Amino acid sequence: PTLRASRRSLSSTAHSSAAPAPSASSASSSLNDHEASQPNLWKGTRTDGGATTNLIGGEWTTGAGVEKWIDVNDPSTQRVLTRVPETSQAEMTRIVDRAQDAYMEWKDVSVLKRQGVMLKLQSLIREHHDDIARSIVLEQGKTFADAKGDVLRGLQVVDAACAMPSLIMGEKLEVSKDMDTETRRVPLGVGAAICPFNFPAMIPLWSIPMAIATGNSLILKPSERDPGAAMIIAELAEMAGLPKGVLSVLHGTVPAVKFLCEEPRIKAISFVGSDRAGKYIYDTAGANGKRVQANLGAKNHCIIMPDANKNFALNSIVGAAFGAAGQRCMALSVLITVGDAQSWVPELVERAKGLKVGSGFDPETEIGPLITPAAKERAERLIASAERDGGKITLDGRGVEVPGFPNGNFVGATILEVDTTMECYQEEIFGPVLCIVKARDLDHAIEIINANKYGNGTAIFTQDGATARKFERTAEAGQIGINVPIPVPLPMFGWSGNKASVLGGASLYGNLGIEFWTQRKTTTSLWRSEDAISVKATTSMPTQ
């Protein structure tokens, strides 16, 4: 269908269960208000306070029996943008029914046809890149430029999945005369992806292409805090020709997660989010015989050596620490200064102080709001704990005021000088907060990194090759950056966080991602050449 034919306006979108009317908004007139007031052109998501729908076997519906609704607020204004259903047990079961039915046909679709869907999806995401990014700014609060980066890093996995015919190839060997052993990858069945709020497009796009291009059907559970980007992507997948039921969208909170972990027809779960939720999913789904990959918390450290390129290093550190308001699993949250590099802290503070806090739609904004008032309160509490525990608040972003946005969840860039015993160092703050820890030398800095329980990523800034080599070999984090502050691998590689940052040992993309979403089937066959029926006649008298 054409894009126009596949969309509906707000007035014509039908829902089988209507959401209650939104409460009056106290938000002032703003660019956010202008964006939120525009007619909704997508089937599954709203911006006027109406209901976001599930996607069940190609049907865009909230489903029957919804007893609870979750508000999705613009974090800059607290305007209610949409309401998400806590999906009923009966509707969750119906989603799995449709996903299972779709899988039974999709698994037999050729890899070339699945590749064709990926190619069309790739094109549609590029065409609607800005639409998805605007939804992210509205619901999650990122700056528009950062939201476009969110979409791009997800699109790169779609790009990679377009090569699935080559990526999924098996192996074959003649192991004995006329005997062949062949190993091929086959899909698992119905899978589920439980996604976090901080990357509303990227994490769904790390899951959807890997799961469905390998022949599975997938139930996507977006974050209930910002589901709009995922709903747009699901509609684009429909427009790309993905059969009904191959991709489903299920909304909800703890009951939905519990259902996905316990439903026996779901064979695998991919999760990105908090430690507490990830450990529950790993334990519960694993006990029910499912494959699980769970990506949890992080506390990413960066060493700055005295020989580093100061200007480049300081700019890189500011961007990695405070970009996305610090709400990244690979955000730089601890800076370890070695020796004389400690003297660069005042200049780092000045650069961070100059970052503009505001609405993501303001092109000059560099730090947007945190996702919820509770996230803001937690960040401010952990900032205050630095002084309580004997540290120093070198730059305080609490109490920042943004003209025109009195109700926003804003925290400005914050720099704390601390030690490793303090709560603000030990906790993942998930805000625009950088902790600075002093180290005597490189060995001491690496000891600090390796003593931390998390292992998502780490980085070093240096101009010395031997220093870089030692760091790369001895730092225990799974993703190493050398003069690169956020070392997230591209899709031709695999995500390789380790230690307490992961459970399950798989990867979200790359070869290990394909391993997660497939199982190997090995066949050994014997076709004896002497049993072949000869096509040449013989005129000799048989003697045997």
Side-chain angles (χ1 to χ4, degrees):
T2 65
L3 176 61
R4 186 174 299 278
S6 71
R7 295 173 169 184
R8 302 182 217 171
S9 68
L10 284 175
S11 60
S12 64
T13 302
H15 305 283
S16 61
S17 179
S23 58
S25 171
S26 61
S28 61
S29 177
S30 66
L31 181 56
N32 297 55
D33 295 344
H34 172 74
E35 291 287 339
S37 68
Q38 298 308 296
N40 190 315
L41 300 176
W42 300 97
K43 293 179 181 179
T45 182
R46 304 283 287 266
T47 59
D48 66 343
T52 288
T53 71
N54 292 314
L55 176 58
I56 308 176
E59 179 186 1
W60 302 83
T61 175
T62 58
V66 179
E67 297 181 354
K68 178 183 176 183
W69 298 88
I70 303 121
D71 287 350
V72 175
N73 299 90
D74 178 343
S76 291
T77 65
Q78 308 312 320
R79 171 196 287 272
V80 176
L81 298 169
T82 185
R83 285 185 160 87
V84 175
E86 186 76 80
T87 305
S88 69
Q89 185 79 17
E91 290 301 300
M92 290 192 286
T93 300
R94 189 161 75 94
I95 287 175
V96 180
D97 291 343
R98 299 289 82 79
Q100 180 66 31
D101 291 345
Y103 165 70
M104 296 307 293
E105 295 185 8
W106 182 245
K107 67 183 177 66
D108 294 326
V109 171
S110 76
V111 68
L112 293 178
K113 288 186 178 179
R114 298 199 299 260
Q115 179 192 42
V117 173
M118 289 296 101
L119 289 166
K120 291 176 184 175
L121 178 60
Q122 176 193 52
S123 176
L124 287 165
I125 292 171
R126 285 203 172 99
E127 181 182 349
H128 296 287
H129 196 147
D130 286 2
D131 294 333
I132 303 170
R134 277 190 287 269
S135 175
I136 293 170
V137 178
L138 269 176
E139 294 183 350
Q140 201 273 348
K142 292 186 181 186
T143 66
F144 185 61
D146 194 40
K148 291 189 71 171
D150 187 325
V151 180
L152 176 63
R153 290 310 298 264
L155 176 59
Q156 288 170 342
V157 176
V158 181
D159 294 341
C162 291
M164 195 57 69
S166 298
L167 297 174
I168 207 170
M169 287 180 68
E171 301 169 324
K172 187 173 184 179
L173 178 67
E174 186 176 10
V175 296
S176 184
K177 185 177 184 299
D178 297 335
M179 180 179 287
D180 300 323
T181 297
E182 176 187 11
T183 298
R184 57 195 175 96
R185 301 179 193 272
V186 297
L188 300 174
V190 181
I194 301 172
C195 302
F197 76 84
N198 58 323
F199 285 100
M202 185 181 80
I203 300 301
L205 286 172
W206 283 5
S207 304
I208 293 168
M210 288 290 101
I212 66 178
T214 51
N216 303 282
S217 61
L218 182 70
I219 299 171
L220 186 74
K221 198 205 87 63
S223 171
E224 67 278 6
R225 298 174 185 173
D226 50 9
M231 299 311 298
I232 294 172
I233 291 165
E235 185 170 348
L236 294 179
E238 177 184 82
M239 294 163 60
L242 190 67
K244 294 178 179 180
V246 174
L247 177 61
S248 307
V249 182
L250 165 64
H251 296 293
T253 57
V254 173
V257 172
K258 184 174 185 293
F259 171 84
L260 293 173
C261 290
E262 296 176 354
E263 165 58 53
R265 290 172 292 177
I266 294 173
K267 303 303 182 185
I269 296 179
S270 179
F271 168 80
V272 178
S274 69
D275 285 6
R276 181 180 178 185
K279 289 173 183 175
Y280 170 82
I281 291 166
Y282 183 76
D283 291 342
T284 306
N288 284 287
K290 306 182 194 307
R291 287 189 184 183
V292 182
Q293 58 175 0
N295 293 267
L296 314 178
K299 197 75 175 181
N300 304 305
H301 295 59
C302 175
I303 298 172
I304 185 167
M305 300 296 294
D307 70 333
N309 179 319
K310 183 170 75 169
N311 185 61
F312 174 73
L314 294 181
N315 283 338
S316 298
I317 290 163
V318 168
F322 306 117
Q327 297 175 117
R328 292 172 176 155
C329 57
M330 285 293 287
L332 173 57
S333 49
V334 179
L335 175 64
I336 303 176
T337 58
V338 175
D340 292 342
Q342 176 67 21
S343 66
W344 300 351
V345 170
E347 191 169 343
L348 177 70
V349 169
E350 287 304 309
R351 297 187 191 206
K353 191 183 296 183
L355 297 175
K356 180 177 178 179
V357 180
S359 162
F361 285 111
D362 181 345
E364 295 182 355
T365 291
E366 292 159 301
I367 300 177
L370 297 183
I371 185 68
T372 61
K376 175 184 176 181
E377 186 278 330
R378 181 177 183 275
E380 292 184 337
R381 178 182 64 78
L382 287 167
I383 292 168
S385 76
E387 279 189 336
R388 180 201 68 200
D389 294 342
K392 178 182 178 183
I393 303 176
T394 306
L395 177 62
D396 193 345
R398 294 173 296 175
V400 64
E401 295 183 359
V402 178
F405 296 91
N407 300 315
N409 308 322
F410 298 107
V411 177
T414 298
I415 295 177
L416 311 175
E417 296 188 63
V418 302
D419 64 44
T420 59
T421 66
M422 299 178 186
E423 182 185 15
C424 60
Y425 169 83
Q426 295 174 353
E427 291 288 324
E428 183 180 26
I429 299 175
F430 233 55
V433 182
L434 178 65
C435 295
I436 297 180
V437 177
K438 298 177 184 178
R440 296 183 302 274
D441 51 31
L442 177 64
D443 289 337
H444 184 209
I446 294 173
E447 286 175 11
I448 292 170
I449 293 169
N450 291 347
N452 192 273
K453 68 178 180 178
Y454 292 116
N456 243 3
T458 187
I460 189 169
F461 283 89
T462 180
Q463 297 189 81
D464 183 75
T467 297
R469 173 66 71 181
K470 180 173 183 176
F471 173 75
E472 187 270 333
R473 291 296 180 90
T474 56
E476 293 176 356
Q479 297 168 133
I480 304 292
I482 298 173
N483 298 319
V484 176
I486 306 179
V488 178
L490 289 169
M492 64 285 292
F493 298 94
W495 180 270
S496 56
N498 62 21
K499 297 173 69 174
S501 292
V502 297
L503 289 171
S507 179
L508 294 159
Y509 50 74
N511 287 335
L512 289 176
I514 293 172
E515 288 279 358
F516 178 78
W517 289 110
T518 60
Q519 55 192 339
R520 292 177 179 268
K521 179 176 283 190
T522 302
T523 303
T524 300
S525 57
L526 173 63
W527 299 102
R528 301 191 306 168
S529 57
E530 57 264 35
D531 291 341
I533 299 174
S534 176
V535 296
K536 183 180 180 181
T538 179
T539 59
S540 302
M541 180 71 72
T543 59
Q544 295 185 28

